[in-house]
């Protein structure tokens, strides 16, 4: 497995990214922790600057793929580092509470997260049903290692390598019942079951993220995490070909 990195999904280039998305090497230890100390708010004016902030927030995430290390890291820390949106074009690296998975969720130890054009947009101006400033963790294209599972989950195990999709529909509206859960009519209504990580609920620019199992997909060892973070983009392309009959 290569070094995890922040991948720019605007150009999807590993070596000559138009927006100079930053490669990330991560490690545990005092140096990593000191790099993650609380810092003043940062105004973000470019994707390159955003990538730099994201790198700092995730530098201490497990990157070895070691199952024991992932589980131990989760058990050992009451908090985690995350990039919190504090205001328009204003991000801050904070220590926040590590989320716990619900009965049908898994907790993912994030290994790679992509910077999408929609991230840049909602950082500048809030989208529909976006959580309030000071509490919202962005990022909807990410991959990682399962660190904990909910009480009813037997589809995944700690240590599984996974990629995610952002949308989990309510399951009860007409669109969801027809399978079009990405067009859920209860978008943003958490009480009715809808979630969209990185849009209406907290996302993956953090050391850990919670996902419903229906939004999680196992990936083989041959797929690197930085590649898996872009799986939803591939899905959009494949859907387009299927729709036009390609």
């Amino acid at each position: 497995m290569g070094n995890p990195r922040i991948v720019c999904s605007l150009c999807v280039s590993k070596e000559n990214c138009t927006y100079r998305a930053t490669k990330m090497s991560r490690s545990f230890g005092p140096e990593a922790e000191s790099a993650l100390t609380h810092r003043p708010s940062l105004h973000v004016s470019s994707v390159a600057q955003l990538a730099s902030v994201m790198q700092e927030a995730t530098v201490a995430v497990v990157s070895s793929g070691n199952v024991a290390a992932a589980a131990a890291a989760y058990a050992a820390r009451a908090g985690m580092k995350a990039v919190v949106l504090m205001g328009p074009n204003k991000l801050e690296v904070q220590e926040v509470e590590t989320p716990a998975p619900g009965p049908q969720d898994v907790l993912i130890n994030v290994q790679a997260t992509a910077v999408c054009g929609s991230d840049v947009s909602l950082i500048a101006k809030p989208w529909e049903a976006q959580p309030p400033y000071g509490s919202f963790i962005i990022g909807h294209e990410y991959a990682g290692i399962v660190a904990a599972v909910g009480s009813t989950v037997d589809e995944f195990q700690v240590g599984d390598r996974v990629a995610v999709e952002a949308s989990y529909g309510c399951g009860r509206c007409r669109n969801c019942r027809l399978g079009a859960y990405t067009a859920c009519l209860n978008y943003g209504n958490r009480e009715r079951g809808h979630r969209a990580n990185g849009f209406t609920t907290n996302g993956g620019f953090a050391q850990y993220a919670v996902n419903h199992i229906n939004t999680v997909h196992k990936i083989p060892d041959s797929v690197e995490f930085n590649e898996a973070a872009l799986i939803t983009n591939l899905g959009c392309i494949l859907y387009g070909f299927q729709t036009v009959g390609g």
Side-chain angles (χ1 to χ4, degrees):
M1 183 180 73
N3 284 337
R5 71 186 72 185
I6 289 174
V7 182
C8 177
S9 61
L10 297 179
C11 65
V12 201
S13 171
K14 296 181 181 179
E15 303 302 330
N16 298 300
C17 174
T18 305
Y19 297 92
R20 301 185 65 80
T22 308
K23 287 185 178 181
M24 299 187 296
S25 59
R26 302 164 177 153
S27 63
F28 283 112
E31 292 183 0
E33 290 300 320
S34 65
L36 289 165
T37 53
H38 188 76
R39 58 178 291 167
S41 299
L42 177 68
H43 288 276
V44 175
S45 58
S46 67
V47 174
Q49 195 175 4
L50 173 63
S52 177
V53 176
M54 300 314 180
Q55 177 180 3
E56 179 176 346
T58 55
V59 68
V61 178
V62 178
S63 62
S64 65
N66 185 294
V67 176
Y74 171 61
R77 42 190 323 140
M80 67 175 184
K81 302 295 182 181
V83 175
V84 180
L85 185 60
M86 304 301 293
N89 294 322
K90 190 176 182 181
L91 298 165
E92 186 172 321
V93 178
Q94 291 188 356
E95 179 89 20
V96 300
E97 184 177 353
T98 303
Q104 299 180 45
D105 300 331
V106 297
L107 182 76
I108 298 171
N109 181 200
V110 179
Q111 300 293 297
T113 303
V115 179
C116 179
S118 55
D119 292 318
V120 179
S121 175
L122 62 81
I123 287 171
K125 183 178 180 180
W127 282 25
E128 179 186 356
Q130 185 170 306
Y133 290 134
S135 64
F136 180 40
I137 301 169
I138 66 171
H140 58 278
E141 299 172 354
Y142 52 96
I145 302 168
V146 174
V149 299
S151 58
T152 69
V153 175
D154 56 12
E155 294 88 348
F156 297 92
Q157 299 179 16
V158 171
D160 283 346
R161 304 173 77 254
V162 295
V164 305
E165 53 182 300
S167 296
Y168 175 65
C170 71
R172 58 201 293 180
C173 72
R174 183 177 186 277
N175 286 356
C176 284
R177 287 165 66 88
L178 292 173
Y181 57 89
T182 57
C184 177
L185 298 176
N186 284 310
Y187 182 89
N189 191 333
R190 184 68 184 268
E191 291 184 358
R192 294 185 70 85
H194 177 269
R195 295 190 226 173
N197 281 13
F199 294 106
T200 68
T201 47
N202 283 339
F205 280 120
Q207 290 175 296
Y208 294 94
V210 167
N211 277 74
H212 189 279
I213 58 170
N214 285 4
T215 66
V216 181
H217 305 273
K218 294 179 183 180
I219 57 174
D221 292 341
S222 58
V223 176
E224 295 188 10
F225 288 114
N226 60 292
E227 297 169 330
L230 297 173
I231 280 179
T232 51
N233 294 285
L234 175 61
C236 291
I237 296 169
L238 290 175
Y239 176 74
F241 278 122
Q242 291 169 350
T243 301
V244 300

